[in-house]
Amino acid sequence: MALTAVQPRTSTVHRVTPTDAARMRALRLEMLADSPLAFLETLAQAAARSHEDYRRRIVQASTGRGLAQFVADPGGRLIGHAGGTVMPEEPGVTVVFAVYVTPRHRGTGVLDDLVEAVAAWSRSVGRPNLMLEVVVGNGRAVRAYERLGFTDTGVRVPHPVIPGLTELQMRRAA
């Protein structure tokens, strides 16, 4: 019986800082090219935004209670991202958004670390619950989130950008 070697973690997860702006822009463009249905803007829209706009957004997400973004950082090119934001109609809920792990690092625990960083931040700002939405039919993502403790609520909503697509809502404690 052959044993499979476990890959040691080669990245750390941290909340974005203004110095991450250029690397975050590169990761955002990769995210949109790799998974265009999963995000709320197109690759063309993101590519048209200026570096200063990316920097401004990263500065906003680097501090505060309403918005946070976390990245998996191996010390070079970023390999993952997850964000969290307040859900105004449910103040005890953090919406997890823009979750992405580069294909080469999927299945290595990076997703777990990113979601746990959002969960820890959510708890620290007094929001005990997490919610996310996944395109119906994206079984890989649903299974990954179920493994992390999310459950399908049964709620279905239209995709906010692409007509004809539906998203399913999943929740868990932070």
Side-chain angles (χ1 to χ4, degrees):
M1 172 204 273
L3 295 176
T4 304
V6 175
Q7 293 284 336
R9 296 262 167 82
T10 58
S11 65
T12 59
V13 171
H14 64 85
R15 191 168 182 177
V16 293
T17 67
T19 61
D20 293 321
R23 294 186 306 152
M24 188 55 223
R25 184 177 193 275
L27 182 64
R28 180 69 178 172
L29 297 176
E30 177 184 334
M31 293 163 66
L32 293 165
D34 182 65
S35 305
L37 300 180
F39 305 105
L40 301 182
E41 70 179 336
T42 67
L43 178 58
Q45 290 167 329
R49 282 197 281 120
S50 69
H51 286 284
E52 183 51 37
D53 186 45
Y54 275 94
R55 186 184 176 295
R56 181 184 53 76
R57 289 175 181 222
I58 294 303
V59 167
Q60 289 173 339
S62 68
T63 63
R65 301 170 52 86
L67 171 68
Q69 292 182 32
F70 297 88
V71 290
D73 185 352
R77 192 172 177 90
L78 298 175
I79 61 170
H81 173 273
T85 191
V86 65
M87 187 174 194
E89 59 275 14
E90 288 187 64
V93 176
T94 290
V95 177
V96 180
F97 69 93
V99 178
Y100 179 76
V101 176
T102 60
R104 184 169 160 244
H105 293 92
R106 291 177 186 157
T108 65
V110 172
L111 174 67
D112 309 46
D113 294 345
L114 288 164
V115 170
E116 289 311 314
V118 174
W121 170 76
S122 184
R123 290 188 306 271
S124 78
V125 296
R127 291 191 295 273
N129 297 296
L130 302 177
M131 187 276 288
L132 56 80
E133 294 171 345
V134 180
V135 172
V136 170
N138 187 347
R140 183 188 68 189
V142 169
R143 287 186 301 277
Y145 292 130
E146 286 173 339
R147 186 179 53 75
L148 295 176
F150 286 88
T151 57
D152 184 344
T153 65
V155 173
R156 301 295 182 267
V157 295
H159 190 282
V161 176
I162 304 169
L165 284 183
T166 302
E167 294 187 320
L168 63 90
Q169 184 184 94
M170 301 182 84
R171 291 182 182 238
R172 72 163 240 202

